[in-house]
Amino acid sequence: MSKDTFKVETKLTRLGRDVHDQYGFVNTPIYRGSTVVFDTVDSLQNNKAKFWYGTLGTPTIKSLEDAWSELSGAEGTVMSPSGLGAVALALMTTLKSGDHLLMPDSVYNPTRNFCKVFLEKFGVEITYYDPLVGENIVELFRTNTSTLFLESPGSQSFEIQDVPLLTRLAKQRGIKTIIDNTWATPIFFKAHEHGCDLSVEAGTKYLSGHSDLLMGLVSANAETWPALRAMYDSMAMLPGAEDCFLALRGLRTMHIRLKEAERRALEVANWLSEQPEVSRILHPAFEGCPGHEIWKRDFKGSSGLFSVVFKPGFSKEALSYMLDNMKIFGMGYSWGGFESLVVPFNCADYRTATKWNPEGLTIRLQIGLENVEDLMTDLRQGLDRLSAFR
C-alpha cells in the first residue's frame, strides 16, 4: 500500500517525521540553534551541507515545511511567527513599487491595515473589490495589476468567492493569486488545486488547536515557489523551534478536531437559527449565506467559525449586557482552539467597496470542544439577557 493512497487522517499521522532519522522516536525532536559547523572549506563556501545556518532552517522547521507542502499539494512551504506575518510575506513575494493590488472588501482587517501602513508607503496601489464580483473582476484589472488577493470565506461576513473562476481570469493576464485559507485549511479546501499561486494559513488557529502558539505558513505552486523562498531567505522571518514542534504535534489531530468543530458548529448554528432573537446565520453551509452554492461545489467541509445577525431593535448596550455575562463563551479575537469564543463586530467601520448594512447587530462565534448542550444553555441565557435589557 503506497503512502500516496492513504486518506488524509492517515497522512496526518505520518507527515513530517521519519522514525529512522530520529533513532526510533516517534516525533521529530526540537532542534534549537543558529550555528552549523562544516567539515571542509569547500562545504562551507559552497553550501554543501543540508543545513547551513539557523535562520534558513533546521530539521524541526523542515519537518513542518515538508508536512504542510504535502498536505497542501504545494511545491514548497515557508513559515513566519504569525498569520499576519505570512500574509505580509506572500504579498511581498508578488508585489513591487508601482504595482496594483486587488483586495477583497471582506478581507481580515489586519491585512487591510498592513496594506495601508506598509504597502501604500512603498508605492503599491490598492483597490478593494466586492468579494462576490465574479467575472466582473476583469473590469478592475489594470496594466500594472500584479496580484489578486482572495479570502474565502470573508472575514466575519463569510462570503464565499468563486476561486477557480477568479484564479483562471487572473492567470490569463499573468496576475498572481494569493488566498487566505485559514478558515477551511487544506483539509477542507485545496487552494493550489483550485488555481491559487500562494496559500496563506494562520497556523495559530486549527493547526495549533490549543491557543498556545502564533504561527503563519505560506505554501506555493511550482511556478511561484522560487520567488517565495527567495523572499523568505532574504528576511529570516521564521518561528521558533518550540512553536514548530507544537505545530507538528497539532497536525496529528487536526483532522479529528476540525471535523468535530464542524459538527458542533453546525449543531449550534442550526439551533441558533430557530431562536426568536436571531434573524439569520452567516455560515457557508447555510443556503442563505452568499456563495453557498460555490461552497458546496468546491469545499469538503466547514469549520467552527460563523456569525449571527440579530433581528432589529436590540441596542448595543443590550448586546454588551448579553456578552459581558456569558459563563462559557469568552470574548477574544482568535479562534480554532479548544475554547468557545464570541466577539461583536461591525464591518461598516472599515468597508469601502461594499455596504455592510445588516438588519441587526452581529456577533461572531467560535465553537470549541465544550459540551454542546452547555454551550446552548449559555447562549440561551445570553439571549434572555439581550431580550430583557431595558
Side-chain angles (χ1 to χ4, degrees):
M1 187 177 185
S2 168
K3 70 174 185 178
D4 294 333
T5 65
F6 291 159
K7 301 294 190 295
V8 65
E9 301 98 308
T10 306
K11 285 184 176 180
L12 288 175
T13 67
R14 285 162 165 74
L15 295 177
R17 67 185 186 92
D18 187 335
V19 296
H20 301 295
D21 288 345
Q22 297 156 198
Y23 301 96
F25 287 99
V26 170
N27 291 309
T28 304
I30 297 175
Y31 285 83
R32 300 183 184 91
S34 54
T35 301
V36 176
V37 176
F38 297 81
D39 292 332
T40 67
V41 171
D42 178 56
S43 179
L44 173 71
Q45 293 181 340
N46 295 293
N47 301 328
K48 290 186 176 180
K50 190 172 184 179
F51 301 96
W52 62 279
Y53 194 69
T55 58
L56 299 175
T58 69
T60 311
I61 292 172
K62 189 176 188 306
S63 293
L64 182 54
E65 290 173 346
D66 290 348
W68 198 258
S69 295
E70 187 166 343
L71 179 64
S72 304
E75 182 69 16
T77 296
V78 297
M79 291 176 292
S80 81
S82 71
L84 182 58
V87 169
L89 188 58
L91 286 168
M92 288 188 287
T93 297
T94 63
L95 290 165
K96 64 182 184 304
S97 181
D99 280 356
H100 176 233
L101 165 66
L102 285 167
M103 183 69 67
D105 211 24
S106 55
V107 74
Y108 177 55
N109 203 31
T111 298
R112 183 186 290 259
N113 188 59
F114 174 77
C115 291
K116 181 174 181 59
V117 173
F118 186 86
L119 294 181
E120 289 183 1
K121 176 181 176 182
F122 286 91
V124 174
E125 300 177 79
I126 302 158
T127 298
Y128 291 91
Y129 67 91
D130 184 340
L132 302 174
V133 65
E135 292 181 348
N136 292 331
I137 193 70
V138 297
E139 298 176 9
L140 300 177
F141 289 161
R142 303 178 188 171
T143 56
N144 63 332
T145 303
S146 69
T147 305
L148 172 63
F149 197 96
L150 310 162
E151 185 170 317
S152 187
S155 182
Q156 299 181 327
S157 49
F158 290 92
E159 300 94 336
I160 292 289
Q161 296 191 263
D162 193 338
V163 175
L165 171 66
L166 294 170
T167 57
R168 176 171 56 82
L169 294 172
K171 196 173 295 291
Q172 289 173 357
R173 292 158 177 81
I175 296 169
K176 291 293 185 181
T177 52
I178 304 170
I179 188 169
D180 186 330
N181 194 37
T182 302
W183 182 84
T185 82
I187 291 176
F188 286 156
F189 184 79
K190 296 289 190 182
H192 298 299
E193 288 182 9
H194 288 90
C196 297
D197 295 302
L198 296 171
S199 180
V200 173
E201 183 87 17
T204 307
K205 310 301 195 289
Y206 283 112
L207 178 57
S208 161
H210 294 81
S211 303
D212 56 3
L213 70 88
L214 291 165
M215 179 171 291
L217 306 99
V218 191
S219 59
N221 60 15
E223 180 181 299
T224 317
W225 168 239
L228 174 63
R229 185 69 210 197
M231 179 57 67
Y232 173 78
D233 288 345
S234 73
M235 299 183 69
M237 186 170 64
L238 71 163
E242 287 82 359
D243 285 348
C244 292
F245 177 85
L246 288 173
L248 281 164
R249 187 174 68 175
L251 186 73
R252 311 306 173 201
T253 60
M254 189 167 72
H255 183 271
I256 293 173
R257 289 185 285 101
L258 199 56
K259 291 297 293 183
E260 189 64 14
E262 176 184 40
R263 183 187 70 79
R264 291 163 179 266
L266 286 171
E267 187 174 348
V268 173
N270 278 301
W271 175 82
L272 276 168
S273 70
E274 299 172 351
Q275 303 310 300
E277 297 85 358
V278 174
S279 176
R280 55 194 168 100
I281 302 296
L282 299 178
H283 188 306
F286 279 51
E287 287 188 4
C289 195
H292 168 71
E293 292 301 319
I294 297 171
W295 174 82
K296 285 203 304 182
R297 183 193 71 192
D298 294 344
F299 286 70
K300 295 180 180 179
S302 59
S303 59
L305 194 75
F306 64 91
S307 291
V308 178
V309 180
F310 291 113
K311 289 180 178 176
F314 299 114
S315 67
K316 291 181 180 179
E317 291 77 14
L319 183 60
S320 294
Y321 182 55
M322 170 187 172
L323 300 183
D324 288 351
N325 294 281
M326 302 298 286
K327 299 296 189 293
I328 299 175
F329 282 86
M331 281 188 280
Y333 285 107
S334 194
W335 46 274
F338 58 86
E339 77 285 17
S340 292
L341 298 170
V342 58
V343 290
F345 70 91
N346 182 6
C347 297
D349 292 342
Y350 57 82
R351 289 206 173 185
T352 56
T354 56
K355 280 194 174 292
W356 173 254
N357 190 26
E359 59 274 23
L361 299 172
T362 49
I363 60 172
R364 189 189 70 183
L365 294 174
Q366 131 80 7
I367 304 303
L369 299 179
E370 303 91 346
N371 180 274
V372 170
E373 290 184 6
D374 288 343
L375 294 176
M376 291 177 179
T377 298
D378 197 29
L379 286 167
R380 184 59 260 169
Q381 291 173 351
L383 293 170
D384 289 342
R385 292 191 297 275
L386 181 74
S387 297
F389 185 87
R390 293 292 183 269

